[in-house]
Amino acid sequence: MELLYINNTNLGKLLEGLEEDFSVFTPVKKGNQRFFRRYAGESEDVLIGEVRTFEPLKSFFFKARERVAVGFEPDIPHSDDRPFCVVGVKACDLKGFKVQDFVFKDHDCTDPFY
């Protein structure tokens, strides 16, 4: 099996192409801090392939506070925000979502907000 890699020039093109349809977030490094930031064009700070960011990936999916009902209306509120794309995620973070899927979606009791 041959491994193929994307170079920095093509990575920038990929990110710019994704920005047409998504809010794109990339891992960046400032000093000793590593975190996700909205992509705003080519930057020396974009860091792909190093260690994980300090903030967990699940912070994109599970907000600290979220409105789940208004006046006990039967419908679940939905956001009108653009979909987002998170680039540079580590495989172990992605595998963690399988566990969450099992607990919140594919198990005895499902969470309607998941």
Side-chain angles (χ1 to χ4, degrees):
M1 179 172 84
E2 181 182 357
L3 294 177
L4 301 175
Y5 298 93
I6 188 168
N7 62 27
N8 287 337
T9 303
N10 288 335
L11 176 63
K13 290 177 184 178
L14 171 68
L15 296 174
E16 289 170 13
L18 288 171
E19 270 201 314
E20 294 175 11
D21 298 319
F22 300 94
S23 296
V24 178
F25 292 86
T26 58
V28 295
K29 180 179 181 181
K30 293 274 188 180
N32 290 333
Q33 301 286 323
R34 290 170 178 85
F35 54 93
F36 286 107
R37 182 180 69 192
R38 187 155 185 189
Y39 180 71
E42 269 189 55
S43 170
E44 300 266 332
D45 298 336
V46 173
L47 182 70
I48 304 289
E50 266 195 32
V51 298
R52 289 186 299 155
T53 59
F54 291 127
E55 63 187 328
L57 179 63
K58 71 179 184 177
S59 64
F60 283 97
F61 298 94
F62 302 103
K63 304 296 180 195
R65 296 182 76 169
E66 181 178 10
R67 185 165 86 182
V68 295
V70 178
F72 299 102
E73 296 174 5
D75 296 331
I76 298 173
H78 295 284
S79 173
D80 293 331
D81 296 336
R82 283 175 56 172
F84 59 89
C85 173
V86 184
V87 177
V89 175
K90 295 292 185 185
C92 54
D93 287 329
L94 292 175
K95 287 185 180 187
F97 283 111
K98 283 186 173 185
V99 174
Q100 288 183 328
D101 282 348
F102 176 75
V103 171
F104 296 115
K105 187 180 85 175
D106 302 330
H107 201 54
D108 296 339
C109 298
T110 59
D111 184 345
F113 299 106
Y114 181 70

